[in-house]
């Protein structure tokens, strides 16, 4: 029996959306509870990588506050699934929106997100998380 990569891709995207919806509503535990013990984490405001579940959770808990996100756009999701079906890499663009002082929607952030998932004891765990601002420079550069 072969690996159903389409079904795995759908599962990964649904998990990611559920974690992000919790985050947007003031509950960061979706992502944090999904971190594997050996997770590696890139944050755009840190110079160095954070390695290990405890360290990643401590960092995120230290900066997290309820963002009051009212809407998220998940754009261009791409999931690459290993032939064995136990590793999946998700990359997508995420736009988040909050309400301004007049109650109108405005964009809060535009992100490039990449998450590596690994199947551990029949549960998908995040083994790598990378968040980057979708545009940080205004000129085309290669390195």
């Amino acid at each position: 029996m072969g690996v159903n990569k389409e079904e795995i891709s759908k599962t990964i995207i649904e998990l990611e959306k559920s974690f992000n919806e919790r985050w947007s509503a003031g509950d960061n535990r979706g992502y944090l509870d999904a971190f594997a013990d050996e997770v590696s984490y890139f944050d755009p405001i840190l110079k160095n990588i954070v390695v290990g579940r405890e360290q990643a959770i401590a960092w995120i808990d230290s900066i997290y506050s309820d963002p009051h996100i009212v809407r998220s756009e998940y754009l261009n999701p791409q999931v690459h699934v290993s032939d064995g079906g136990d590793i999946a890499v998700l990359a997508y663009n995420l736009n988040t929106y909050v309400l301004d002082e007049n109650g109108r929607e405005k964009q809060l952030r535009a992100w490039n997100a990449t998450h590596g998932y690994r199947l551990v004891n029949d549960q998908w765990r995040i083994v790598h998380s990378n968040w980057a601002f979708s545009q940080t420079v205004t000129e085309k550069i290669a390195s």
Side-chain angles (χ1 to χ4, degrees), residues 26-129:
D27 175 11
N28 68 1
R29 299 321 294 183
Y31 277 116
L32 305 187
D33 290 345
F35 283 166
D37 289 339
E38 70 279 14
V39 70
S40 52
Y41 178 83
F42 275 119
D43 191 302
I45 64 172
L46 287 176
K47 182 177 180 179
N48 295 315
I49 191 170
V50 177
V51 178
R53 185 174 194 276
E54 299 294 324
Q55 293 82 352
I57 289 172
W59 167 249
I60 293 168
D61 277 343
S62 77
I63 63 167
Y64 181 79
S65 65
D66 183 352
H68 303 288
I69 295 170
V70 296
R71 184 169 66 89
S72 296
E73 294 175 326
Y74 302 89
L75 307 171
N76 310 308
Q78 298 294 311
V79 181
H80 303 279
V81 179
S82 69
D83 290 339
D86 60 339
I87 303 258
V89 177
L90 167 65
Y92 65 101
N93 306 109
L94 175 68
N95 293 332
T96 57
Y97 297 86
V98 295
L99 298 179
D100 68 13
E101 59 279 350
N102 298 314
R104 290 188 296 259
E105 214 175 76
K106 71 174 184 176
Q107 187 169 10
L108 175 65
R109 300 267 188 283
W111 297 97
N112 295 330
T114 307
H115 294 128
Y117 284 84
R118 184 165 49 94
L119 198 56
V120 178
N121 298 325
D122 295 324
Q123 288 190 315
W124 286 104
R125 296 287 183 190
I126 298 170
V127 293
H128 181 72
S129 180

